[in-house]
Amino acid sequence: MWVPKDLVPGSAILLLCAVLFYITTTFDSDPLGAAQGMPATHMPRLVLTVIAGLAVIMIGQGLRSGERSHLTNPPWRMWATAGLLAVTAFTFPVIGVPLAFFAVCVALPLLWGARNLPLILAFAVALPIAIYVVFQLLLGLRLPLGPLAFLS
């Protein structure tokens, strides 16, 4: 079956965002005056809204290009990526967010065929630092830091 390019993955992303957004409605929320930093429901909703917006743009670009793609099974790398990200989510409390993101930033490019190691390492160092600065220092969110807890 032929479908417009990026329609199926974009729709799957939108569906996942909708389910996860609903799950955020079940979170306990602090009164705005008592919340330290950002309330628990705001950050996930903000991230999900950005992801959904990018998915809509992706679908729109696919529709506008007029390209069609054949529905086939996704490549094995997609399943490996999903597994790696799932494992990473469970390692956050143990090794902390910065080290987990460092590992992901090294593993994913290698998994998908990138071989420029200096650039991969620069990316793997820069992204966790940026995440730490934005979320921990600027937004005041407490990220699990694992062995790097001395930074807070």
Side-chain angles (χ1 to χ4, degrees):
M1 177 175 173
W2 294 89
V3 294
K5 184 179 183 249
D6 295 331
L7 180 65
V8 173
S11 299
I13 292 168
L14 288 174
L15 178 64
L16 180 63
C17 286
V19 169
L20 293 174
F21 195 92
Y22 170 75
I23 290 172
T24 66
T25 65
T26 65
F27 291 176
D28 290 334
S29 61
D30 299 328
L32 287 177
Q36 296 249 350
M38 190 176 287
T41 57
H42 285 44
M43 183 53 66
R45 289 178 182 173
L46 176 65
V47 171
L48 289 170
T49 302
V50 169
I51 292 170
L54 292 172
V56 168
I57 291 170
M58 180 178 80
I59 291 170
Q61 287 177 336
L63 291 171
R64 196 175 80 210
S65 74
E67 290 183 48
R68 299 209 173 273
S69 61
H70 189 68
L71 285 181
T72 60
N73 290 331
W76 66 270
R77 286 183 176 102
M78 196 263 336
W79 298 111
T81 299
L84 176 66
L85 294 176
V87 167
T88 301
F90 288 107
T91 64
F92 282 165
V94 178
I95 66 172
V97 172
L99 292 178
F101 272 107
F102 176 82
V104 166
C105 289
V106 169
L108 283 183
L110 293 175
L111 174 68
W112 285 88
R115 295 293 175 250
N116 187 345
L117 290 180
L119 188 58
I120 292 171
L121 289 175
F123 170 65
V125 169
L127 184 71
I129 290 172
I131 289 171
Y132 177 80
V133 168
V134 169
F135 290 97
Q136 189 87 12
L137 300 180
L138 296 178
L139 296 175
L141 299 175
R142 298 195 182 274
L143 299 174
L145 297 177
L148 301 176
F150 67 89
L151 293 173
S152 60

